[in-house]
Amino acid sequence: MTLNVAEVQPSSRLHRLSLAVAVTIMLACTLYPPLMTAPDGKADHALATALFIAMSVAFVRGVGFIPRRLVWRRMFSGWTCLAALALAGGLKFLH
């Protein structure tokens, strides 16, 4: 048995908060693309990347998928989504 594989699988159920965050990011980026632009009108790739990472992690967590391997479970956790959202907020605030 490898150490990085969970022995007991946590329950996989729908996480409504994560799913709501993912859908909100998706709709905001789709309906208002200037959200991801710099003040000079060019695309802010760092901000877009942080938002899309947060959206992807929130979708994976929101639909209830919990990976077996510890590294993937940490990568697709709510804390990763929160960190990506904090980074996006910081990047938006700096501009």
Side-chain angles (χ1 to χ4, degrees):
M1 172 116 196
T2 55
L3 295 175
N4 58 356
V5 176
E7 289 183 25
V8 177
Q9 189 71 358
S11 68
S12 66
R13 57 186 172 85
L14 198 65
H15 292 257
R16 288 182 175 87
L17 180 61
S18 294
L19 200 54
V21 167
V23 170
T24 302
I25 294 170
M26 178 188 67
L27 289 175
C29 292
T30 301
L31 297 175
Y32 190 67
L35 173 75
M36 299 176 291
T37 58
D40 60 357
K42 295 181 181 177
D44 188 353
H45 293 287
L47 176 61
T49 301
L51 282 172
F52 293 147
I53 287 172
M55 181 185 69
S56 301
V57 168
F59 265 126
V60 169
R61 186 70 178 162
V63 298
F65 179 72
I66 301 173
R68 284 187 186 177
R69 294 204 178 263
L70 186 60
V71 66
W72 291 109
R73 192 174 320 143
R74 297 285 186 246
M75 191 179 300
F76 291 109
S77 70
W79 294 109
T80 305
C81 179
L82 183 64
L85 281 175
L87 176 63
L91 289 171
K92 189 64 176 175
F93 180 72
L94 288 176
H95 290 118

